[in-house]
Amino acid sequence: MEQKNESSFAGFILLGFSDRLQLELILFVVLLIFYIFTLLGNTTIIALSYLDPRLHTPMYFFLSNLSFLDMCYTTSIVPQFLFNLSRADKSISFGGCVVQMYISLALGCTECILLGVMAFDRYAAVCRPLHYTVIMHPRLCALMASASWVTGFVNSLLQTVLIFLLPRCGRNKLAHFFCEIPPFLKLACVDTTMNVYVTFFGSVIILLTPVSLIMFSYGRIVRAVLRIKSTAGQRKAFGTCGSHLTVVSLFFGTAIYVYFQPSSSDSQDQDKFMSLFYTVIIPMTNPLIYTLRNRDVKGAMKKMLWKNSYSG
């Protein structure tokens, strides 16, 4: 096997958590449970948004996009990771690694932009309530959602091509559990300064631009809400934004930490656990956050459950 890895094998070895064998079985069980709940939770959000007429609004249109995106994102990483955890051979083919990096990066970038778009939607709903339906008309919503997906996939194509053009001089052991850019740069046997700058510049655009839009939107939202004299009105306005703000804080906080902190060998394990957080845990918790903090979603779920119980 070692001979295959070092000579004839053209793929990569995903070391992951192989230095902690006692952790692998626990990780396998926990990740499998999380993955199942991720699929169930996000499928429920999509089904509710489609079936309940009260949820046929721009907010839930974007939420359905986010749920579908989360399912695809975690599926691009977790099944391969679970497969590697269940065997001694931690390999992934060259083509598989290219596809995994491209798809996971594209979906991650799309989620960043989509969260920014959702912040603008909340701004329009709270600060321009009388013109909300005019501003957020279906055509604009479809255009913004499409632009998010296209931008994410185009950026990922550029980044992935540049990464795989780097010579690796036979190095194929990736100190990570999936094919991601930061650990992949460490395999290169040439100066990667230009790639680091390109990745940093792309991260600034994809991560910090939506964050700036989100901060601007919520700054305006807070000002508008504080002008509302009714406490109930303030609570309702903050309630419609609380779920989105929680998701934004979790996702961007961990992503910015991984992509903007200085690279060091001491931080490898920390980076892996942080990556585990935003690739597995956040996609699972998003449906819970939106369900537990949103009356409309809870109402739609109760309605569907009652309907099913009566029909049964």
Side-chain angles (χ1 to χ4, degrees), residues 144-259:
M144 288 194 294
S146 300
S148 300
W149 286 85
V150 170
T151 304
F153 275 82
V154 169
N155 174 71
S156 178
L157 179 63
L158 173 64
Q159 300 274 4
T160 303
V161 168
L162 289 176
I163 286 296
F164 279 94
L165 285 176
L166 288 172
R168 294 177 297 278
C169 303
R171 299 174 187 172
N172 68 343
K173 293 183 179 179
L174 197 68
H176 208 34
F177 61 88
F178 76 104
C179 297
E180 193 175 27
I181 288 178
F184 213 94
L185 285 172
K186 297 174 184 177
L187 294 182
C189 57
V190 294
D191 182 24
T192 59
T193 303
M194 184 59 66
N195 293 81
V196 170
Y197 283 141
V198 170
T199 301
F200 179 79
F201 182 68
S203 300
V204 167
I205 295 175
I206 297 298
L207 286 171
L208 298 189
T209 301
V211 167
S212 301
L213 177 60
I214 289 165
M215 291 176 65
F216 171 80
S217 298
Y218 277 101
R220 292 299 185 94
I221 287 170
V222 170
R223 286 178 57 188
V225 171
L226 291 178
R227 291 177 188 158
I228 301 174
K229 296 180 180 179
S230 166
T231 306
Q234 288 183 346
R235 192 180 297 113
K236 182 180 179 182
F238 278 126
T240 60
C241 304
S243 301
H244 177 255
L245 200 54
T246 303
V247 170
V248 163
S249 302
L250 290 172
F251 183 81
F252 280 104
T254 52
I256 288 173
Y257 176 86
V258 169
Y259 277 85

Side-chain angles (χ1 to χ4, degrees), residues 16-207:
F17 299 92
S18 55
D19 56 334
R20 303 185 182 192
L21 294 176
Q22 71 281 5
L23 187 63
E24 289 198 333
L25 179 59
I26 299 172
L27 269 176
F28 180 86
V29 175
V30 172
L31 288 178
L32 181 60
I33 293 171
F34 277 21
Y35 182 55
I36 292 170
F37 274 105
T38 298
L39 297 181
L40 290 175
N42 285 291
T43 302
T44 300
I45 294 290
I46 295 171
L48 290 175
S49 299
Y50 177 76
L51 295 173
D52 195 317
R54 292 177 301 175
L55 302 185
H56 293 174
T57 63
M59 175 181 175
Y60 296 103
F61 168 74
F62 292 125
L63 181 55
S64 295
N65 268 266
L66 184 65
S67 293
F68 177 70
L69 191 153
D70 277 342
M71 284 198 300
C72 295
Y73 183 47
T74 195
T75 299
S76 70
I77 297 165
V78 174
Q80 174 69 42
F81 187 26
L82 288 172
F83 184 58
N84 283 351
L85 285 173
S86 66
R87 59 179 186 159
D89 180 12
K90 312 293 183 185
S91 63
I92 183 173
S93 67
F94 181 86
C97 195
V98 173
V99 171
Q100 186 180 67
M101 180 181 289
Y102 173 63
I103 296 297
S104 61
L105 180 61
L107 295 171
C109 293
T110 302
E111 180 151 356
C112 292
I113 301 167
L114 194 59
L115 287 171
V117 169
M118 291 173 74
F120 175 75
D121 171 67
R122 292 300 82 210
Y123 159 76
V126 175
C127 301
R128 298 287 187 270
L130 298 179
H131 302 94
Y132 178 64
T133 54
V134 177
I135 297 172
M136 300 302 294
H137 56 85
R139 187 176 178 183
L140 179 64
C141 292
L143 183 63
M144 288 194 294
S146 300
S148 300
W149 286 85
V150 170
T151 304
F153 275 82
V154 169
N155 174 71
S156 178
L157 179 63
L158 173 64
Q159 300 274 4
T160 303
V161 168
L162 289 176
I163 286 296
F164 279 94
L165 285 176
L166 288 172
R168 294 177 297 278
C169 303
R171 299 174 187 172
N172 68 343
K173 293 183 179 179
L174 197 68
H176 208 34
F177 61 88
F178 76 104
C179 297
E180 193 175 27
I181 288 178
F184 213 94
L185 285 172
K186 297 174 184 177
L187 294 182
C189 57
V190 294
D191 182 24
T192 59
T193 303
M194 184 59 66
N195 293 81
V196 170
Y197 283 141
V198 170
T199 301
F200 179 79
F201 182 68
S203 300
V204 167
I205 295 175
I206 297 298
L207 286 171

